[in-house]
Amino acid sequence: DYTRQMEQLYAPIAEIESTYTVVARGSRPTQVNRAASWTMLKDWDTRTRTQAAILQELEPRLSAITGVNAFAVSPP
């Protein structure tokens, strides 16, 4: 349910091309209370906002999901 809530937050962001979510990854011990989600942004030439601007919009929405510690990370 929580990852579905996260994915619903991604839907209105036009710059997101795709998402990939994993719940309870196969590493031992399997932790069913952990999930990870990755998003791929559209190419630079097809969007007007920067990655930082998109994260700035997304971060408060993720942190507002009650019951989880959800946050966005921008890789270098």
Side-chain angles (χ1 to χ4, degrees):
D1 289 339
Y2 294 122
T3 56
R4 282 186 174 51
Q5 288 179 50
M6 289 181 359
E7 290 170 346
Q8 288 175 351
L9 295 177
Y10 303 151
I13 300 175
E15 295 88 353
I16 293 178
E17 184 172 307
S18 63
T19 62
Y20 175 71
T21 303
V22 176
V23 178
R25 296 191 293 188
S27 58
R28 298 281 181 217
T30 301
Q31 297 176 338
V32 296
N33 62 342
R34 286 193 172 188
S37 180
W38 294 267
T39 60
M40 176 69 90
L41 298 179
K42 293 180 180 175
D43 191 72
W44 292 98
D45 297 337
T46 62
R47 55 186 164 98
T48 57
R49 293 193 301 169
T50 64
Q51 179 177 329
I54 296 164
L55 285 177
Q56 188 175 11
E57 174 188 341
L58 191 56
E59 185 63 39
R61 294 178 184 184
L62 287 171
S63 63
I65 299 174
T66 303
V68 298
N69 182 15
F71 53 91
V73 176
S74 177

